[in-house]
Amino acid sequence: LEQRCSQLYAAWGIPQGDVNAGYLSCAVGIACSTSQKLAIRKEILQAVSEQYDVSVSAVDSGIRRMIDQLEAKPAEGWTQFKAESGFEAEKPTTGKLIYAIKRYLIQQKSRE
């Protein structure tokens, strides 16, 4: 999972080892661990914050900053991902992005 997320982020122009990308990968991992839709802040971001020993707000704002960064200078990979995920006309929220990546990874797996 970590490797697939890293490949995706590389296509978006996110540098390796970006802490916010780490938060996002962790959040996606939690979302992928269950078929239920989890509460973003209470269940997903809370678990990420405990793993990284930071506040839920730090995780949330870190992922939001990453989204802002991607929106400010969109790489082709990001634009393509947004189009495939159905939010090319809007900036995705933290929750929408987590679940869009989860769907993307499931699709990738089914193509193999």
Side-chain angles (χ1 to χ4, degrees), residues 4-17:
R4 286 173 186 257
C5 286
S6 293
Q7 290 169 337
L8 190 59
Y9 306 153
W12 298 352
I14 300 286
Q16 281 285 329

Side-chain angles (χ1 to χ4, degrees), residues 20-73:
N20 298 330
Y23 294 161
L24 186 56
S25 297
C26 187
V28 171
I30 294 162
C32 287
S33 68
T34 176
S35 57
Q36 298 165 308
K37 200 143 167 87
L38 299 169
I40 301 301
R41 280 187 84 88
K42 273 208 167 80
E43 295 175 291
I44 297 177
L45 299 184
Q46 177 70 45
V48 175
S49 78
E50 287 165 10
Q51 209 165 323
Y52 281 87
D53 200 26
V54 293
S55 68
V56 173
S57 304
V59 174
D60 192 25
S61 76
I63 294 173
R64 279 207 311 264
R65 272 199 309 275
M66 188 173 135
I67 294 168
D68 290 341
Q69 204 180 332
L70 290 164
E71 290 288 306
K73 281 196 227 129

